[in-house]
Amino acid sequence: MLFSGRQAAWTEILPVAKRFKQSSYFYGNLTHVMDLAEVTDAIYKIDITWPAFDVSAQEALVNQAFKGQLRATSSGLGGIDVILPHVNKAYGLAKLQHQWQIDYSETLAFGDSGNDVEMLQKARYGYVMKNAPESVKQQVDLITPLTNNDSGVLAVMEDFLKSR
């Protein structure tokens, strides 16, 4: 389990563990603590991971138990993000669009997990990665021709800029 807070991301996972190294890619400030109950940081998100990569049952359970108060969505690596209902990547993208005065029609976004779907729908060109789960692909119209391991984002951006 990981807590994503204002100051850092926190976990009880040992720094020598494979999962710690994988998570460090997404949480650049991942910090090991002996007990998550001791974290005093403001927590914005909880990332819970299971050994199986299909977390749809756990996602449904959290959404049923905390309906209207918290929301769970798949996040890759066999995990779910548990967040406040209105705090998601779409919210962040909308804030950036407003701050930089960028219209929906001018926005490209890329994602590969359930926690990206709302953001992809907030962009005129919302692409799901070719290697995303089928459940995510079904919710978005545009799919990259390559995976995120094979420069899928760069390929789409290059084609997009050539066409302008």
Side-chain angles (χ1 to χ4, degrees):
M1 183 179 316
L2 299 156
F3 288 178
S4 183
R6 178 175 291 173
Q7 298 172 355
W10 311 92
T11 186
E12 294 174 350
I13 300 169
L14 294 173
V16 296
K18 180 180 178 182
R19 177 67 169 132
F20 188 96
K21 292 176 184 6
Q22 290 172 323
S23 297
S24 293
Y25 178 79
F26 299 102
Y27 300 95
N29 56 353
L30 187 58
T31 304
H32 173 266
V33 293
M34 294 301 292
D35 186 352
L36 286 172
E38 297 175 7
V39 173
T40 59
D41 196 0
I43 302 302
Y44 300 121
K45 177 178 83 168
I46 299 172
D47 179 345
I48 307 169
T49 304
W50 283 268
F53 273 78
D54 182 3
V55 294
S56 53
Q58 291 88 349
E59 182 181 340
L61 283 172
V62 171
N63 287 331
Q64 181 181 7
F66 296 99
K67 188 172 185 169
Q69 299 171 321
L70 296 172
R71 189 172 69 85
T73 182
S74 64
S75 63
L77 297 177
I80 60 172
D81 288 345
V82 180
I83 55 177
L84 292 171
H86 69 283
V87 179
N88 55 40
K89 292 180 182 183
Y91 175 79
L93 180 60
K95 289 191 75 78
L96 291 173
Q97 288 170 322
H98 176 76
Q99 181 178 343
W100 295 335
Q101 298 178 5
I102 297 172
D103 190 69
Y104 160 86
S105 65
E106 303 171 297
T107 306
L108 280 86
F110 299 86
D112 64 359
S113 295
N115 64 355
D116 296 316
V117 172
E118 293 143 330
M119 172 190 67
L120 297 176
Q121 294 170 343
K122 194 93 174 141
R124 166 64 182 94
Y125 304 98
Y127 284 88
V128 67
M129 302 307 295
K130 181 179 180 178
N131 58 311
E134 198 59 39
S135 60
V136 176
K137 289 180 186 176
Q138 292 173 359
Q139 297 180 64
V140 180
D141 294 330
L142 301 173
I143 300 173
T144 62
L146 301 171
T147 70
N148 55 2
N149 296 322
D150 296 314
S151 302
V153 172
L154 292 175
V156 169
M157 290 178 68
E158 182 177 42
D159 287 347
F160 183 83
L161 293 172
K162 283 181 182 177
S163 68
R164 298 290 175 245

